């Protein structure tokens, strides 16, 4: 992770103008912000659900691995969080 | 209460609700998009009526709520509406000029769960001149900006650009920076309602637009990530129309101050359509069944060139209201599209905007106020721009 914005022990949280919630009518998690919403498909919702301002990147990966055993998810999760950082959805504390 | 209209079975729920909770406003902007005849509209909804309508819309699946007006802070129950909307699960944004935003009110908004505030730098020519020259006005706006930041809201500024202020975009951006804005939308006004009446005065020349864009780009390069800046060009300068509201009755539900439910702010002036009121009908029926909301869904209403155009799914033929206002027929292609046989109406106006304004050739400025609204509303109720080819 040498050229990345996040390290495994970064504690991450949602940027303050974003809100994360489950939307029944959409049958998915969404990320809400003033201009609109982002529908989170599949694992995106599961990952962002664990961004609570207290847990590190490693903590999130570990928790996901516990909940989804047998799935090789480490790289995908880290890439997703890197992307979320670049998009401005999350920030490090 | 159901009527014989046939709602397409694939109509998705509204995502955005825009609640124009009042048409009252302390400002007199010449580009206001409130109906020109707002002074003739019915009484404002009560708090309960708003909460009921918002609950019904939420049950349908609406998520984003904009609380606007007029000036939403003119009402005393804005905090209650925000709090109830928050409890319902909406993401709530207050769209305000900041006038009347005291610490007491913003603390109550925070407590009630308001998610975002969009501060409009609304100006009439008078106000901008005051602002640019008067420290007092700057201090007032700065106080509001400071409160917004103190209560941990991002500073989001919306500035309406037009011919009379676009040459000051450098000062406007400097002001935004001084206020600590994190996001600035420089929105060239569209020509609806009061802005249509005042179109001659409002439309910038291409040279003005390009200069403003250059200044904005240079500013962007300087401030970097510190500020997100959006620059919106008037659609008259495009050759394809905007996908207005993302389609008629598609994602957007507007509820006006008197309870009229509309697919957009402007639709109430379209002739031959009746729009329901939330006082009389459930929002579910309004959205799915009402004739007004179904009028321009799908594409069976389209005329050529839209009907067989491969781009119809992209822009839906543009804006129905603009088509009506400029061509007299809401089912025509939006004349912004250069495939429209009426495109010359846009081209002529664009050509006019490249010339200096000759007072003798243009409609004098009509400021948005109750007196003008009563006067203009007493006629046809539809603002007709000077020189438009509309037969009645």
């Amino acid at each position: 992770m040498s050229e990345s914005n996040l390290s495994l022990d970064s504690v991450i949280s949602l940027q303050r103008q974003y809100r994360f919630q489950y939307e029944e009518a959409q049958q998915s998690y969404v990320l809400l912000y003033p201009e609109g919403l982002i529908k989170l498909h599949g694992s995106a919702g599961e990952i962002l659900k664990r961004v609570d301002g207290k847990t590190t990147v490693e903590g999130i990966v570990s928790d996901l691995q516990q909940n989804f055993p047998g799935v090789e998810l480490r790289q995908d999760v880290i890439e997703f969080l890197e992307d979320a950082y670049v998009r401005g959805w999350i920030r490090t504390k | 209460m159901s009527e014989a209209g046939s709602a397409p079975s694939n109509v998705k729920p509204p995502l955005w609700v825009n609640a124009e909770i009042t048409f009252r406003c302390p400002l007199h902007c010449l580009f206001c998009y409130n109906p020109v005849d707002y002074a003739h509209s019915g009484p404002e909804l009560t708090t309960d009526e708003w909460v009921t309508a918002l609950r019904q819309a939420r049950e349908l699946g609406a998520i984003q709520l904009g609380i606007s007006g007029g000036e939403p802070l003119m009402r005393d129950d804005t905090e209650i509406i925000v709090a109830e909307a928050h409890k319902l699960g909406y993401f709530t944004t207050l769209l305000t000029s900041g006038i009347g935003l005291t610490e007491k009110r913003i603390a109550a908004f925070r407590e009630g769960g308001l998610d975002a505030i969009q501060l409009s730098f609304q100006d009439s020519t008078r106000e901008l001149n005051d602002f640019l020259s008067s420290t007092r006005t700057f201090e007032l706006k700065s106080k509001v900006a400071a409160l917004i930041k103190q209560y941990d809201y991002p500073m989001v500024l919306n500035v309406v650009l037009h011919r009379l202020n676009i040459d000051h975009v450098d000062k406007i951006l400097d002001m935004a920076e001084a206020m600590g804005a994190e996001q600035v939308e420089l929105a060239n006004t569209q020509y609806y309602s009061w802005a249509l009446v005042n179109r001659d005065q409002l439309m910038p020349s291409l040279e003005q637009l390009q200069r403003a864009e250059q200044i904005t780009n240079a500013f962007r390069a300087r401030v970097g990530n510190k500020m997100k800046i959006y620059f919106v060009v008037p659609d008259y300068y495009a050759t394809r129309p905007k996908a207005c509201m993302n389609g008629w009755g598609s994602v957007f539900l507007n509820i006006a101050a008197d309870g009229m439910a509309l697919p957009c702010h402007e639709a109430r002036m379209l002739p031959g359509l009746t729009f329901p009121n939330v006082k009389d009908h459930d929002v579910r029926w309004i959205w799915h069944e009402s004739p007004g909301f179904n009028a321009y869904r799908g594409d069976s209403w389209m005329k050529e060139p839209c009907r067989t155009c491969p781009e119809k799914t992209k822009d839906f033929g543009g804006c129905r209201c603009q088509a009506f206002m400029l061509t007299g027929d809401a089912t025509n292609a939006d004349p912004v599209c250069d495939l429209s046989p009426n495109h010359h109406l846009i081209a002529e106006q664009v050509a006019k905007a490249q010339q200096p304004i000759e007072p003798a050739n243009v409609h004098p400025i009509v400021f948005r106020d109750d007196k003008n609204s009563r006067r203009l509303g007493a006629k046809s109720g539809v603002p007709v721009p000077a020189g438009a080819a509309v037969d009645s």
Side-chain angles (χ1 to χ4, degrees):
Chain A
M1 291 179 77
S2 49
E3 270 152 42
S4 57
N5 295 293
L6 301 172
S7 66
L8 289 171
D9 55 15
S10 302
V11 174
I12 51 177
S13 63
L14 283 181
Q15 286 273 25
R16 64 183 164 174
Q17 64 267 41
Y18 287 90
R19 214 171 84 190
F20 174 84
Q21 65 192 45
Y22 187 77
E23 274 298 305
E24 194 61 51
Q26 299 287 327
Q27 290 287 297
S28 82
Y29 285 104
V30 297
L31 206 54
L32 302 172
Y33 61 109
E35 289 84 41
L37 71 123
I38 299 152
K39 213 171 148 176
L40 298 165
H41 298 287
S43 52
E46 288 298 327
I47 298 168
L48 285 177
K49 197 165 90 173
R50 289 159 168 85
V51 175
D52 58 8
K54 293 178 277 200
T55 314
T56 60
V57 172
E58 178 59 51
I60 290 172
V61 171
S62 304
D63 192 61
L64 282 164
Q65 276 177 333
Q66 274 182 347
N67 281 272
F68 300 95
V71 180
E72 260 312 305
L73 46 74
R74 172 172 288 270
Q75 198 50 40
D76 289 342
V77 172
I78 290 169
E79 272 172 24
F80 174 86
L81 289 172
E82 280 287 337
D83 185 56
Y85 184 92
V86 164
R87 287 169 188 266
W89 298 351
I90 60 174
R91 61 186 166 96
T92 53
K93 299 202 109 181
Chain B
M1 267 180 177
S2 62
E3 305 198 8
S6 55
S9 57
N10 59 349
V11 172
K12 297 211 187 80
L15 292 176
W16 288 89
V17 177
N18 192 54
E20 295 173 331
I21 61 175
T22 179
F23 286 138
R24 287 175 284 149
C25 187
L27 299 172
H28 309 284
C29 305
L30 68 170
F31 46 78
C32 183
Y33 59 69
N34 283 164
V36 169
D37 60 353
Y38 74 82
H40 294 282
S41 63
E44 289 184 8
L45 294 183
T46 64
T47 318
D48 282 344
E49 283 167 340
W50 272 113
V51 174
T52 302
L54 293 179
R55 181 182 312 118
Q56 290 170 1
R58 181 75 181 123
E59 276 163 15
L60 271 191
I63 305 177
Q64 289 276 4
L65 175 64
I67 297 165
S68 75
E71 171 50 67
L73 295 178
M74 297 287 278
R75 283 182 72 124
D76 296 328
D77 61 352
T78 323
E79 291 87 331
I80 300 174
I81 294 172
V82 162
E84 291 301 313
H86 178 74
K87 280 189 222 148
L88 288 168
Y90 279 105
F91 185 99
T92 52
T93 302
L94 181 71
L95 296 115
T96 174
S97 66
I99 294 177
L101 189 61
T102 59
E103 171 142 25
K104 181 162 178 241
R105 297 201 80 173
I106 199 173
F109 286 129
R110 205 5 126 198
E111 182 67 34
L114 181 68
D115 290 288
I117 299 175
Q118 185 189 94
L119 190 63
S120 328
F121 184 67
Q122 301 283 27
D123 72 293
S124 64
T125 318
R126 286 188 299 232
E127 251 211 328
L128 176 67
N129 289 340
D130 283 349
F131 181 89
L132 292 174
S133 59
S134 143
T135 339
R136 199 183 123 256
T137 323
F138 181 76
E139 274 167 14
L140 281 173
K141 288 283 186 187
S142 296
K143 271 209 188 92
V144 169
L147 267 180
I148 286 174
K149 281 178 162 277
Q150 184 191 335
Y151 280 81
D152 204 32
Y153 287 103
M155 245 304 273
V156 178
L157 209 59
N158 179 287
V159 183
V160 180
L161 286 187
H162 50 74
R163 190 182 185 103
L164 303 169
N165 68 8
I166 194 169
D167 294 332
H168 299 292
V169 74
D170 54 343
K171 291 205 182 71
I172 289 169
L173 286 168
D174 287 343
M175 168 202 76
E177 193 180 12
M179 285 167 115
E182 284 147 71
Q183 183 173 310
V184 180
E185 183 168 327
L186 298 168
N188 275 280
T189 184
Q190 299 186 75
Y191 309 110
Y192 294 97
S193 293
W194 299 87
L196 184 60
V197 173
N198 293 307
R199 188 178 57 180
D200 289 339
Q201 313 275 6
L202 290 172
M203 194 166 163
S205 68
L206 185 60
E207 194 199 7
Q208 282 181 301
L209 264 176
Q210 287 170 339
R211 200 164 50 226
E213 262 179 315
Q214 272 161 21
I215 290 170
T216 304
N217 287 332
F219 190 91
R220 265 195 197 108
R222 181 171 69 70
V223 298
N225 280 339
K226 209 173 71 166
M227 202 190 293
K228 223 182 340 174
I229 304 168
Y230 297 98
F231 190 95
V232 182
V233 177
D235 63 350
Y236 278 40
Y237 279 103
T239 51
R240 286 292 183 274
K242 59 186 182 278
C244 196
M245 298 295 132
N246 211 52
W248 181 273
S250 170
V251 299
F252 192 87
L253 170 65
N254 193 73
I255 303 173
D258 59 356
M260 190 178 283
L262 298 155
C264 70
H265 316 114
E266 308 305 322
R268 87 198 272 156
M269 49 90 155
L270 293 172
L273 290 180
T274 323
F275 291 104
N277 195 298
V278 297
K279 288 192 275 211
D280 308 320
H281 299 274
D282 187 282
V283 172
R284 182 175 299 273
W285 178 84
I286 288 173
W287 183 258
H288 285 281
E289 309 289 341
S290 71
F293 274 76
N294 282 305
Y296 302 118
R297 280 183 176 141
D299 57 14
S300 56
W301 55 269
M302 285 183 183
K303 290 159 88 150
E304 296 297 355
C306 304
R307 186 174 269 262
T308 55
C309 181
E311 291 176 56
K312 70 181 174 187
T313 51
K314 205 172 107 185
D315 58 34
F316 318 104
C319 173
R320 300 301 94 232
C321 300
Q322 189 147 266
F324 170 70
M325 289 187 304
L326 300 181
T327 76
D329 182 347
T331 62
N332 276 333
D334 182 338
V336 160
C337 187
D338 68 7
L339 298 174
S340 157
N342 295 298
H343 183 69
H344 64 95
L345 295 171
I346 298 285
E348 279 157 19
Q349 186 62 28
V350 169
K352 195 172 180 184
Q354 308 315 310
Q355 307 305 319
I357 293 182
E358 299 286 336
N361 292 344
V362 302
H363 204 291
I365 289 179
V366 180
F367 288 100
R368 179 235 201 253
D369 59 35
D370 290 358
K371 187 160 142 233
N372 282 328
S373 177
R374 279 190 291 271
R375 180 174 62 82
L376 288 171
K379 292 189 220 167
S380 67
V382 177
V384 176
V390 175
D391 296 311
S392 44

